[in-house]
């Protein structure tokens, strides 16, 4: 083998020096090209959001708008036909409360199952596992039946509350707490804390990375959800941003720059999540992919 | 102490582990367990078990526009029979099958390929990982919007048609209809774009678990880098993850709704490409609001996916995520 010594930043899974220099260059160039392709949709959102209709539909492809149309932003929010501000607010409320609620319910339940001996804990655990067999999207008819009899259609309660009791997140929490170092809690118990106290003062503060990972992925999923908000959001007051966008997209007359400005606004929060919390998101994906 | 509790005691101690004698049944440890687990469990019962049970009940009734059908509307298993003999329902399963035949191998190959390439590159690895993962931030609605109104627009100014024009190819109406079925290209590329970064992350995580020494040992034994080590070290090392990823892709494809709804004419309610969920949505919540048949359909679909998952697990070996 040629050069096995300089193993500083060795790519795992591939021995350094494996493959010729040429093949590594090909790999890099290929990746750069692919990366460019992957970014095209984002480029198109930005270009179209800041162009005029004439520029978007011009006979010659225009790579960039001649004048950046910031006014599209104001027009989007002033358009009475599209309840953009309202739907953004709804999405924010739904995603934040869903994340907080899911974290609270699933970590407490997961901790209880992992750490507090009880003769029913296996029964409870199997009752939770059984719900994982069926993808949640398919249960939208049954859930709709229940939510509509509670009178929560077109109501944010209907969007939030039924999604909080996430068996999968609870399962992840249980697995995580099973691996949490017992010594820390025992120290707390010696100091006279009960389960509740130990949980909030010791376990939770020492699980920030895990909570962030689960929280971020819950937030992204909730923000991007479409089917359930569509089922529940029967009136425009309760539309989330995804439902509003979809309505806007399938409308008869379309103002292209406004449509893309709406898309840009809709992905902005998640772009921030990606910029600042990507580490946790990756961790969350890895954790949730753990179980098929 | 109530009698029932007392009688429960010996049974549990007989079955229970050789633990130290229990303290008070309520209070202390038992109470703690219930206030930790209780709220979640109650919610799960109300929002998962009750709806499923209720829906199973509704599936036996002619329940149009109602969730509390009268007893004379009892129809037995008619809803199931209607669903199973319904041409449209069966076609929706065919649509799913066609879709899965495209999406599953392509997404799998794309995400594995990306993971291998990103894992191999020496510079800018974090950048590549972020770029390929970034589409996960896009909802299917946003992606559909871009795909429909900018990339695969059927008119001249769409990006694909612009590119084709440079090569002198006529404009193509990508999403207009089934003849030829260009819409599959639109739908499949969209889903791959959104999903493959997600699975790439899983594959990268798994790749990093494969011990370096295995490769070194293989080279010492004269294995050639590349194909040989890929099939004999890398792929076996990715086995658990591959099974999990395949299952996830299939389950996700089964639930396809968003992009069909937003891309295709008539909100996806077209005979040539109705997915099972689009069909279900229109049956249960469309103009008819036939919750009886919708419930029957939901149960059938849930059963089907459970069977598919189990068979896949049996066939590929259960994804017992070893080595994590």
């Amino acid at each position: 083998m040629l050069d096995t010594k300089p193993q500083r930043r060795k790519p795992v899974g591939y021995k350094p020096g494996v493959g010729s220099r040429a093949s590594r260059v090909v790999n890099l160039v290929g990746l750069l090209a692919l990366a460019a392709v992957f970014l095209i949709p984002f480029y198109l959102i930005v270009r179209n959001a800041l162009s005029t209709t004439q520029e978007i539909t011009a006979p010659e492809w225009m790579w960039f708008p001649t004048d950046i149309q910031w006014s599209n932003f104001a027009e989007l929010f002033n358009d009475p036909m599209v309840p953009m501000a309202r739907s953004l607010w709804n999405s924010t409320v739904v995603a934040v409360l869903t994340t907080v609620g899911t974290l609270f319910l699933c970590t407490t339940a997961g901790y209880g199952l992992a750490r507090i001996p009880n003769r029913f804990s296996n029964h409870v655990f199997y009752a939770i596992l059984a719900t994982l067999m069926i993808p949640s999207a398919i249960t939208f008819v049954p859930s709709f039946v229940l939510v509509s009899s509670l009178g929560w259609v077109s109501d944010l309660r209907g969007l939030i509350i039924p999604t909080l009791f996430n068996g999968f997140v609870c399962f992840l929490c249980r697995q995580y707490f099973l691996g949490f170092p017992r010594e820390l809690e025992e120290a707390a118990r010696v100091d006279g804390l009960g389960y509740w106290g130990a949980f909030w003062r010791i376990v939770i503060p020492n699980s920030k990375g895990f909570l962030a990972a689960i929280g971020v992925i819950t937030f992204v999923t909730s923000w991007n959800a479409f089917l359930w908000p569509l089922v529940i959001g029967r009136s425009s007051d309760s539309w989330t941003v995804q439902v509003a966008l979809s309505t806007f997209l399938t409308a008869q007359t379309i103002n292209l720059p406004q449509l893309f400005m709406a898309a840009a606004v809709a992905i902005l929060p998640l772009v921030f999540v990606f910029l600042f919390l990507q580490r946790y998101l990756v961790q969350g994906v890895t954790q949730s992919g753990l179980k098929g | 102490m109530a009698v029932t509790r007392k009688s429960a005691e010996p049974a549990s101690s007989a079955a229970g582990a050789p633990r130290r004698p229990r303290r008070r049944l309520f209070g202390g440890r038992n109470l703690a367990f219930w206030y930790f687990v209780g709220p979640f469990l109650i919610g799960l019962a109300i929002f998962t078990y009750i709806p499923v049970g209720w829906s199973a009940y509704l599936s036996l009734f002619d329940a149009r526009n109602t969730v509390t059908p009268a007893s004379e509307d009892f129809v037995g298993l008619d809803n199931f029979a209607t669903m199973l003999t319904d041409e449209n329902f069966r076609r929706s399963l065919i649509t799913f099958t066609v879709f899965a035949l495209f999406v599953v191998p392509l997404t799998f190959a794309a995400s594995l390929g990306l993971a291998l390439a990103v894992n191999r590159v020496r510079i800018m690895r974090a950048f590549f990982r972020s770029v390929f993962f970034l589409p996960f931030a896009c909802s299917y609605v946003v992606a559909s919007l871009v795909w429909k109104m900018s990339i695969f627009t059927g008119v001249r100014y769409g990006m694909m048609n612009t590119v084709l024009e440079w090569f002198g190819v006529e404009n193509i109406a990508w999403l207009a209809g089934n003849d030829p079925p260009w819409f599959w290209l639109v739908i499949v590329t969209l889903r791959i774009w959104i999903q493959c970064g997600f699975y790439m992350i899983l594959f990268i995580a798994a790749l990093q678990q494969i011990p370096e020494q295995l490769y070194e040992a293989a080279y010492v034994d004269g294995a050639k880098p590349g194909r040989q080590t890929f099939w004999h070290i890398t792929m076996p090392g990715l086995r658990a993850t591959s099974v999990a990823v395949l299952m996830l892709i299939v389950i996700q494809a089964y639930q396809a709704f968003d992009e069909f709804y937003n891309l295709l004419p008539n909100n996806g309610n077209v005979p040539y490409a109705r997915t099972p969920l689009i069909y279900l949505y229109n049956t249960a919540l469309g103009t008819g609001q036939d919750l009886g048949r919708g419930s029957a359909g939901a149960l059938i679909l849930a059963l089907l996916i459970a069977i598919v998952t189990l068979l896949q697990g049996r066939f590929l070996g259960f994804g017992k995520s070893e080595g994590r």
Side-chain angles (χ1 to χ4, degrees):
Chain A
M1 291 280 103
L2 304 174
D3 53 348
T4 35
K5 268 180 287 160
Q7 284 201 343
R8 263 194 320 125
R9 295 167 80 210
K10 54 176 185 201
V12 185
Y14 278 85
K15 204 170 157 79
V18 165
S20 63
R21 189 181 192 89
S23 85
R24 286 208 304 272
V25 171
V26 168
N27 188 41
L28 181 64
V29 172
L31 277 177
L32 282 171
L34 268 177
V37 171
F38 265 67
L39 290 174
I40 286 176
F42 293 103
Y43 152 72
L44 287 171
I45 292 177
V46 175
R47 182 198 80 145
N48 294 353
L50 299 174
S51 297
T52 63
T53 308
Q54 291 72 27
E55 285 169 328
I56 297 173
T57 59
E60 279 292 304
W61 182 264
M62 296 189 70
W63 289 102
F64 296 102
T66 29
D67 286 311
I68 292 182
Q69 303 289 322
W70 294 113
S71 56
N72 291 342
F73 184 78
E75 273 167 36
L76 172 67
F77 283 94
N78 290 332
D79 189 338
M81 299 302 290
V82 191
M84 202 61 201
R86 180 67 197 250
S87 64
L88 274 172
W89 170 248
N90 286 343
S91 275
T92 310
V93 170
V94 169
V96 168
L97 291 183
T98 300
T99 307
V100 173
T102 306
L103 278 183
F104 177 80
L105 288 160
C106 294
T107 51
T108 49
Y111 183 80
L113 288 170
R115 275 293 198 264
I116 309 176
N118 188 286
R119 83 173 105 124
F120 294 110
S121 61
N122 272 339
H123 300 99
V124 173
F125 183 55
Y126 290 133
I128 293 168
L129 278 188
T131 65
L132 299 185
M133 284 295 291
I134 302 167
S136 57
I138 291 175
T139 58
F140 78 90
V141 180
S143 303
F144 176 77
V145 168
L146 181 87
V147 167
S148 67
S149 50
L150 289 170
W152 288 353
V153 175
S154 288
D155 189 318
L156 294 192
R157 279 175 298 180
L159 282 175
I160 299 166
I161 297 173
T163 63
L164 294 181
F165 306 94
N166 189 321
F168 185 56
V169 177
C170 181
F171 172 80
L172 289 180
C173 290
R174 174 184 176 269
Q175 303 305 97
Y176 169 80
F177 289 126
L178 281 176
F180 189 86
R182 238 171 226 283
E183 299 75 37
L184 280 176
E185 289 156 84
E186 269 156 17
R189 302 296 302 283
V190 170
D191 289 349
L193 286 175
Y195 282 106
W196 195 249
F199 179 71
W200 288 109
R201 295 211 203 151
I202 306 296
V203 178
I204 288 294
N206 283 296
S207 305
K208 285 191 191 121
F210 173 77
L211 294 176
I214 297 282
V216 166
I217 207 154
T218 309
F219 184 88
V220 171
T221 313
S222 173
W223 184 271
N224 282 343
F226 178 62
L227 176 54
W228 184 243
L230 178 73
V231 167
I232 295 301
R234 300 260 127 176
S235 78
S236 65
D237 286 352
S238 57
W239 283 352
T240 63
V241 74
Q242 308 297 340
V243 179
L245 265 184
S246 167
T247 315
F248 198 8
L249 174 64
T250 46
Q252 290 304 313
T253 52
I254 291 175
N255 178 335
L256 281 174
Q258 260 191 35
L259 186 64
F260 282 90
M261 183 53 89
V265 171
I267 60 170
L268 206 58
L270 294 194
V271 170
F272 277 112
V273 167
F274 264 70
L275 286 181
F276 299 110
L277 301 169
Q278 196 185 142
R279 186 161 73 87
Y280 297 113
L281 193 60
V282 167
Q283 204 181 321
V285 168
T286 319
Q287 259 149 4
S288 56
L290 225 147
K291 194 243 152 228
Chain B
M1 275 267 157
V3 186
T4 45
R5 286 198 199 125
K6 267 196 180 136
S7 66
E9 232 3 12
S12 78
S13 58
R19 233 185 272 132
R20 268 176 273 135
R22 200 181 291 284
R23 287 187 250 163
R24 283 162 300 153
L25 191 52
F26 285 88
R29 196 176 261 183
N30 269 298
L31 183 64
F33 179 81
W34 290 116
Y35 62 64
F36 270 95
V37 177
F40 182 87
L41 194 61
I42 292 168
L44 193 73
I46 294 176
F47 293 103
T48 301
Y49 280 97
I50 290 181
V52 169
W54 194 338
S55 203
Y57 170 80
L58 278 183
S59 71
L60 304 173
F61 287 84
D62 179 8
R64 279 175 227 191
N65 295 309
T66 176
V67 292
T68 48
S71 56
E72 66 261 26
D73 290 332
F74 184 79
V75 293
L77 295 175
D78 276 8
N79 284 324
F80 290 91
T82 332
M83 281 304 261
L84 289 172
T85 52
D86 184 351
E87 177 68 23
N88 287 330
F89 182 66
R90 279 182 292 175
R91 283 181 78 167
S92 79
L93 294 177
I94 293 171
T95 299
F96 155 69
T97 312
V98 173
F99 182 55
L101 285 177
F102 283 122
V103 157
V104 176
L106 288 176
T107 313
F108 185 84
S111 46
L112 179 58
L114 282 181
L116 291 170
V118 170
N119 201 41
R120 189 180 171 201
V121 78
R122 287 183 171 192
I123 52 169
M124 296 165 71
R125 197 184 301 172
F127 166 79
F128 285 125
R129 201 187 57 178
S130 302
V131 168
F132 297 130
F133 187 39
L134 192 57
F136 186 62
C138 253
S139 66
Y140 281 95
V141 181
V142 169
S144 301
L145 193 155
V146 179
W147 257 243
K148 185 179 179 183
M149 305 309 291
S150 204
I151 299 180
F152 290 99
T153 316
V155 287
R156 190 203 66 248
Y157 62 83
M159 196 178 116
M160 276 316 255
N161 280 344
T162 306
V163 172
L164 289 178
E165 216 164 68
W166 294 342
F167 296 99
V169 181
E170 288 277 300
N171 286 347
I172 292 174
W174 300 98
L175 290 161
N178 191 26
D179 188 33
W182 284 115
F183 67 90
W184 282 122
L185 180 69
V186 184
I187 280 176
V188 170
T189 50
L190 185 152
R191 183 163 277 248
I192 293 174
W193 180 73
I194 287 194
Q195 286 200 340
C196 74
F198 180 93
Y199 298 121
M200 175 197 75
I201 298 278
L202 294 182
F203 276 126
I204 291 178
L207 278 174
Q208 316 221 326
Q209 301 285 327
I210 302 177
E212 189 77 7
Q213 297 92 297
L214 285 181
Y215 291 93
E216 279 158 22
Y219 298 138
V220 169
D221 290 348
K224 290 197 187 63
R227 196 170 298 171
Q228 260 185 332
T229 51
F230 176 74
W231 286 111
H232 291 106
I233 298 174
T234 311
M235 280 316 276
L238 295 180
R239 187 183 161 78
T241 307
S242 302
V243 172
V245 166
L246 271 180
M247 274 194 184
L248 284 172
I249 301 176
V250 172
I251 292 173
Q252 291 290 323
Y254 197 65
Q255 301 179 68
F257 178 87
D258 303 7
E259 72 268 47
F260 286 83
Y261 182 94
N262 286 300
L263 285 172
L264 295 178
N266 198 15
N267 283 342
N269 196 13
V270 284
Y272 54 87
R274 237 186 242 122
T275 68
L277 280 204
I278 293 265
Y279 176 79
L280 203 57
Y281 177 83
N282 285 301
T283 306
L285 301 167
T287 41
Q289 277 236 2
D290 195 338
L291 289 170
R293 275 181 59 199
S295 298
L299 289 176
I300 295 171
L301 289 177
L303 196 64
L304 279 177
I305 192 68
I307 292 171
V308 168
T309 313
L310 286 177
L311 281 182
Q312 214 182 354
R314 179 64 51 88
F315 185 61
L316 295 166
F318 270 103
K320 292 271 165 52
S321 33
E322 65 253 26
R324 226 174 265 268

